[in-house]
Amino acid sequence: MKKISVRTSDGQEFELEENLAMESATIKTSLDAFSRDDIILLPNVNSWEMVKIIEFFTKVQELETKFGVKFMEKKEGRFLEAFQAEFDKDLSDDNLYCLLWTVDYLGIEVLLENLCHLMAERTKNKTVESCRNLFGVQHDYTPEEEAEIREDYSWAFEGPEIEE
Amino acid sequence: MKIQKQQWGVEEHFPEEIIDKILLKLPVKDVIRCSAVCKLWNSLIKNPTFIQTHLNNQTHDGISKRLLLISRQSYDLHWDNPAALFGQYSNLRNPIRNSNWTKGIVWEVVGTCNGLVCLAVSSIHGDPCPPVILWNPSIRKFGFLPSPSRAVDCYRYESYYLCYDSRIDDYKVVRIVREPYCQVEVEVWSLASGSAWKSLDNVPADFSPSTSHHAFVNGALHWAQSRLTSGEEEESTVSVVALDMVDGSFRNVEILQCWRGAPMISRYHGDGDQCWLALFDLQGDSCFDLWVMKEYGVAESWTKLFNVHLLGSPEEELRIEPFGFTKSGQVVVRMGGDEEFNSFKSYDPKDKQFRDFGNQAYDYYFMDSFVESLVLLGQTNVFSY
């Protein structure tokens, strides 16, 4: 199988199998425009992110062999549990945030879906302040506006399961 | 790490599509809390497409299946899962109990659809007409419907049904008014148009639904009707009539002619997301057959799935009556003798066993599948409790 070469923002080069590279809509567009022999430059992708992406595809192939199912079509179910266990533990909130950006930029649909699921899990049971920190969101409500929402749905803001 | 993003010259927050994807995966309580994060998130969440997609995701997620079990004593949600013994998941606060609205009137649950619950006063009463209530327990909001055109009096009976028009993402309540020796009246109210009840002028002359049981299947409300035919022998013909919620038309659904007596209509959940029109053919007090229409509208597709009967001793004189279905294909039945007829069991056709169901101290009168949803979020004229 043909290998596609990519170079990340910090100058590292990676060789991807063609079918894997084609999972990225962005790389696919580049390949359609240019020759497959050229190195594709990815100035918006860091090398640690590329390592993670390759790790994801390797994991998918392992799980496909183990469960005998084509996981690329499936987005939920057993794959998600196995994926989460492996992928989640080494990924800090900031790293997950950056990886989401990168995978969205690269247009890798199936990995994006799984990362969104991971992000959702980290959002559950978080206070409003923690959510703002997690997503780097600007607080744009006036104190009165926010108080109104909190009063209208007071039950949603309280509970033993909600953590900082 | 975020500084790295600024090097690209990109805005600091995620594209809306990604926020959307993430929010759609959250349970209702977390979604509500997220509406306080910022104005963009609030507008994403209150978007009708978001609410509908969130609901569809919940419906297909196996973990979210619940049963709404209503008794005189309690409003409860149970796990719709035999492995969890259909145990209680949560207790729901009655939105209007002990409030200014009640004034001695007792509302009953008459239907649930996509996470909405409809409360109505179905018994005979006089003016003024207590309003119908639409309630979403998952977001703790409820609202009153406008009064229908004509109140009922001691000779008229009214019944209400909640359903959904998937073509325009609209919730509708149907009101049927029956008066002895008169044409049945049918009115419909819709959440999207909101204002007044609309009388239907196409009600068939022979429309005489058995209003105690109904089934919302394939976008239409179904009732069994049994009419005495004139003739030498007093025979009854059984038929199933449907009211289509999309185009407002009435039609008959063909049934097999072997059924005598008034069958009990229901909605059966097969494996996965299958939803079939079902009829219980009651044969005496301790036995019934379950028939399902595997292909909607095709009379030949009526299939007898199984028979349920009690193997009690004759002295016990136990009666059994179907009460509803779980999504795992079990029938919930009400059992008992002449003195007490409120023991609820689940029947598993796979092993033909009856098992205790629900809280044995409660007298249930309503059961249906339930899903947590955001419907009614962002609606005006709704109240919190």
Side-chain angles (χ1 to χ4, degrees), chain A residues 44 46 48-49 76 94-95 97-98 100-102 104 109 112-113 116-117 119-120 123-126 128 131-138 140-141 145 149 152-153 155-159 161-162, chain B residues 1-2 4-5 8 10-15 17-19 21-23 25-30 32-43 46 137-141 376-378 384-385:
Chain A
N44 291 340
N46 205 286
W48 74 264
E49 291 166 336
E76 305 289 337
D94 277 350
N95 284 359
Y97 181 95
C98 288
L100 255 172
W101 266 109
T102 301
D104 180 54
E109 199 51 49
L112 184 65
E113 194 61 42
C116 285
H117 191 97
M119 200 61 162
T123 311
K124 277 182 192 171
N125 296 330
K126 286 267 190 330
V128 174
C131 282
R132 289 184 187 133
N133 288 337
L134 185 60
F135 287 86
V137 165
Q138 278 287 68
D140 60 356
Y141 278 119
E145 285 168 338
I149 299 177
D152 207 12
Y153 295 98
W155 53 272
F157 295 89
E158 53 202 38
E161 75 277 8
I162 298 172
Chain B
M1 283 298 170
K2 283 165 198 161
Q4 192 187 1
K5 302 306 166 191
W8 304 1
V10 199
E11 297 148 338
E12 263 206 23
H13 55 79
F14 281 135
E17 300 82 48
I18 300 193
I19 303 288
K21 270 193 211 282
I22 295 171
L23 293 176
K25 293 177 191 294
L26 294 175
V28 167
K29 189 173 178 179
D30 292 279
I32 299 287
R33 206 162 49 250
C34 283
S35 69
V37 165
C38 67
K39 291 181 180 176
L40 170 69
W41 284 33
N42 187 42
S43 70
K46 299 225 163 101
S138 310
I139 64 170
R140 302 206 194 173
K141 290 281 187 189
L376 285 191
L377 189 69
S384 307
Y385 62 93

Side-chain angles (χ1 to χ4, degrees), chain A residues 9-58:
Chain A
S9 61
D10 43 358
Q12 262 205 288
E13 279 184 22
F14 293 87
E15 277 200 339
L16 306 172
E17 295 199 358
E18 186 173 358
N19 64 333
L20 254 42
M22 298 293 259
E23 287 292 333
S24 159
T26 309
I27 295 180
K28 184 170 184 301
T29 311
S30 290
L31 288 176
D32 289 343
F34 303 105
S35 152
R36 270 158 171 65
D37 296 323
D38 290 342
I39 296 179
I40 296 180
L41 299 179
L42 299 173
N44 291 340
V45 182
N46 205 286
S47 58
W48 74 264
E49 291 166 336
M50 186 52 72
V51 166
K52 269 294 185 197
I53 292 168
I54 294 173
E55 192 184 301
F56 168 77
F57 285 117
T58 314

Side-chain angles (χ1 to χ4, degrees), chain B residues 7 9 17 30 43 60 83 113 165 173 175-176 196 203 217 227 303 326 335 339 348 370:
Chain B
Q7 285 169 345
E17 300 82 48
D30 292 279
S43 70
H60 293 116
C113 181
D165 180 350
V173 178
R175 178 185 189 238
I176 291 185
V203 181
V217 173
R227 276 176 33 250
T303 311
T326 69
M335 244 194 242
E339 295 190 0
D348 190 339
F370 184 82

